[in-house]
Amino acid sequence: MEPVPVKIVCNGTAYQLQVEPRTLLADLLRSDLGSKGTHIGCEHGVCGACTVLVDGEPMRSCLMLAVQADGRTIQTVESLELPDGSLNELQESFHEHHGLQCGYCTSGILMSLTALFNEDKAPSESRIRDYIQGHICRCTGYQQMIEACVELSGLRSKELS
Amino acid sequence: MFTECSEQLFGSSEHSHISCGVLGESVKPAAFEYRNSRDEDEVFDLLTKYGSEAKVLAGGQSLIPLMNFRLVKPSLVVDINGVSSLRGVKVSSSTLRLGALTRHVELETRPDVAQAAPLLSAVAPYIGHPQIRTRGTLGGSLSHADPSAELPAAMVALDATILVKGASEERRVQAEEFFKFHLTADLAVDELVVGVEIPVFGPNQGFGFREVSARFGDFATVGALAVLSVGPDGTVERSRVVCMAVGPKPIRIGSAESVLNGKQISPAILGEVAEAVAEALDPIADLKASASYKRRTAATLARRAVEEAWEMTAGRVS
């Protein structure tokens, strides 16, 4: 099929692409833009591993055509590191609380939680759970991730008060 | 293979040009032609021309999984996300009008929706997960007509009118008539759901919603919704009792409504509602639950939904 011109900004870099319509955004990110941090799990919108931010909103990149990202800004897990290459506060909290084991689901979970923490400086535990439940983790379990987020939320609410 | 460019803005002439996906090694859907439509007329022209070869893409949360599995292989995908006439939430004194492209997250968070149709705000958090609700649309969910989905059942409970449009005519279909069978709605291949109209929730009304699923956010194993309108003395004037995931479409339980109408709610009446629901349903077993579990659970959930609706009216009517 005729490739379609697509312009996107991914992690701060602008791209002008020619994309075959059937290309999924997840595959574009991984195969063509080299964002291997975006993981592909189930490829039908169940596991959440491929979650990225599209114009700041969390979306499953296996359920979005790359052509639909035309004119949009994408953030993947690679965008989270600080300019000096160190972990950001959410990643650091995951590290501290053993919020990951094999790491396969982690990039998607971090992106969903990034959307939450962007929207709500100090989210409640129930909101944190709401955002994590769109993801499947097969090894770490969810409790440490929740603890990581609750602590970060607590630190932020202290800063706010 | 390509070079990155540093411009942060669109429209720069110095973008690098990259060809993507042409090798086909990393794509899953079968090949299709893609049209990003900007107006309804173009959509109807394409649907008329391509018929069942075309598929309308809105949020893509049901269609794209089907395409990834190649269960659906359209030759044309018509993307309607850019059709502005399909957007918008409008509230008049008597009617809430929701455009087909209203996202689930809007139902969940908009104060005007919460005011005019609080049942929708209550069911929205049960639709998938946050990443699905940012993308999925009302029109898409209704067109997909999954009998275990929340929005079709809510439309029946709210006595919504589904606005259907084709190249040559517009139709208004009562929600109860719109859902026909598993994944089948009263929608021709060249037609589109353009929106819905819902009577604005009144001060004499209450609603209840109960759902059981394996995990929060999964498709419902069983669900029940109730909407009651009560008179000044607390007598039920009108009622809707709807069960979901217990048949090929959302099922309105007329016999339970007959139990309620003209009565004041009492434990005995609630027991009769449960009995009527159990009697009316003939569910079939699925992977998650036996037929008898579904029947018993639907009866209990319907009773609780009616009770919840009743308690809400008791708080509002005095």
Side-chain angles (χ1 to χ4, degrees):
Chain A
M1 287 292 161
E2 200 64 18
V4 177
V6 170
K7 286 180 185 177
I8 64 170
V9 172
C10 181
N11 298 338
T13 303
Y15 297 92
Q16 185 159 317
L17 311 159
Q18 292 289 326
V19 179
E20 197 186 355
R22 62 172 165 165
T23 308
L24 301 173
L25 177 60
D27 290 320
L28 179 92
L29 293 172
R30 285 180 58 83
S31 305
D32 300 295
L33 303 189
S35 164
K36 301 281 190 193
T38 302
H39 292 167
I40 295 179
C42 68
E43 293 182 87
H44 64 289
V46 173
C47 77
C50 66
T51 301
V52 299
L53 304 189
V54 179
D55 288 344
E57 288 190 301
M59 292 182 188
R60 293 181 161 164
S61 60
C62 75
L63 294 189
M64 187 166 177
L65 301 174
V67 291
Q68 293 187 287
D70 185 31
R72 309 279 209 115
T73 298
I74 316 289
Q75 283 166 269
T76 70
V77 72
E78 286 91 344
S79 70
L80 297 185
E81 66 173 23
L82 299 177
D84 66 359
S86 59
L87 300 177
N88 77 5
E89 55 182 357
L90 177 62
Q91 292 170 308
E92 194 60 56
S93 199
F94 263 57
H95 176 85
E96 285 300 313
H97 288 269
H98 197 103
L100 67 154
Q101 190 168 314
C102 86
Y104 203 87
C105 65
T106 312
S107 46
I109 290 174
L110 288 173
M111 295 321 287
S112 276
L113 291 169
T114 296
L116 174 63
F117 277 96
N118 283 348
E119 181 212 310
D120 185 346
K121 287 289 275 181
S124 64
E125 181 175 334
S126 81
R127 289 206 80 195
I128 291 164
R129 286 176 176 270
D130 187 38
Y131 272 68
I132 290 180
Q133 44 131 332
H135 296 268
I136 291 175
C137 168
R138 299 279 79 157
C139 60
T140 320
Y142 306 93
Q143 195 53 43
Q144 296 101 298
M145 303 177 197
I146 292 162
E147 286 163 9
C149 295
V150 166
E151 184 181 81
L152 178 58
S153 180
L155 290 172
R156 287 209 182 165
S157 59
K158 269 189 207 150
E159 281 168 23
L160 289 173
S161 61
Chain B
M1 184 183 156
F2 62 87
T3 51
E4 294 180 356
C5 55
S6 57
E7 281 76 22
Q8 301 278 322
L9 300 167
F10 295 119
S12 160
S13 59
E14 292 177 52
H15 286 90
S16 51
H17 288 255
I18 309 168
S19 270
C20 298
V22 288
L23 298 177
E25 79 241 10
S26 58
V27 289
K28 285 82 180 175
F32 56 83
E33 193 187 332
Y34 172 81
R35 280 302 181 84
N36 187 9
S37 286
R38 295 286 159 192
D39 68 85
E40 284 182 16
D41 290 342
E42 187 193 358
V43 174
F44 295 126
D45 285 349
L46 290 167
L47 294 182
T48 305
K49 189 174 157 205
Y50 282 80
S52 58
E53 291 291 299
K55 270 285 175 192
V56 173
L57 174 61
Q61 303 300 291
S62 302
L63 176 61
I64 295 189
L66 293 170
M67 289 170 61
N68 287 357
F69 282 127
R70 300 202 178 189
L71 293 168
V72 174
K73 290 188 274 188
S75 53
L76 175 73
V77 168
V78 185
D79 188 340
I80 59 168
N81 284 284
V83 181
S84 55
S85 59
L86 299 175
R87 292 186 189 288
V89 173
K90 279 190 213 115
V91 190
S92 72
S93 58
S94 61
T95 307
L96 168 69
R97 190 188 190 286
L98 297 168
L101 285 174
T102 305
R103 312 265 171 198
H104 306 324
V105 68
E106 295 182 74
L107 302 180
E108 189 181 0
T109 58
R110 284 183 68 123
D112 50 358
V113 173
Q115 185 89 35
L119 176 59
L120 290 183
S121 310
V123 303
Y126 289 78
I127 306 168
H129 306 289
Q131 316 101 301
I132 286 174
R133 299 198 289 271
T134 54
R135 201 78 194 123
T137 67
L138 172 64
S141 176
L142 302 183
S143 308
H144 191 57
D146 189 314
S148 63
E150 288 80 10
L151 291 178
M155 291 302 141
V156 176
L158 292 170
D159 194 15
T161 303
I162 316 295
L163 311 175
V164 176
K165 206 165 164 184
S168 54
E169 67 159 352
E170 285 187 56
R171 300 188 292 132
R172 298 170 59 86
V173 187
Q174 291 311 111
E176 201 184 343
E177 303 298 318
F178 182 71
F179 303 104
K180 292 297 183 192
F181 196 65
H182 281 282
L183 308 183
T184 308
D186 176 13
L187 195 63
V189 289
D190 58 353
E191 286 182 322
L192 197 63
V193 170
V194 294
V196 301
E197 283 180 7
I198 297 168
V200 165
F201 195 70
N204 64 330
Q205 288 191 299
F207 69 86
F209 167 62
R210 293 296 171 106
E211 178 179 306
V212 168
S213 59
R215 296 179 310 159
F216 194 83
D218 277 7
F219 280 106
T221 306
V222 187
L225 305 90
V227 177
L228 302 181
S229 306
V230 298
D233 62 348
T235 304
V236 176
E237 289 175 342
R238 274 174 295 119
S239 61
R240 286 238 165 171
V241 179
V242 178
C243 291
M244 52 191 264
V246 286
K249 58 181 182 176
I251 297 175
R252 191 175 163 196
I253 316 286
S255 53
E257 295 170 7
S258 303
V259 167
L260 291 164
N261 294 345
K263 309 267 179 50
Q264 302 228 8
I265 302 288
S266 67
I269 291 288
L270 291 172
E272 282 181 48
V273 166
E275 279 170 34
V277 171
E279 185 107 339
L281 292 175
D282 188 17
I284 52 170
D286 60 27
L287 286 173
K288 288 180 266 177
S290 67
S292 95
Y293 175 88
K294 280 183 175 253
R295 183 201 305 273
R296 283 181 288 124
T297 308
T300 301
L301 296 183
R303 174 168 55 73
R304 290 178 185 164
V306 169
E307 193 173 10
E308 198 181 339
W310 166 252
E311 283 166 2
M312 189 183 290
T313 62
R316 295 166 69 126
V317 183
S318 55

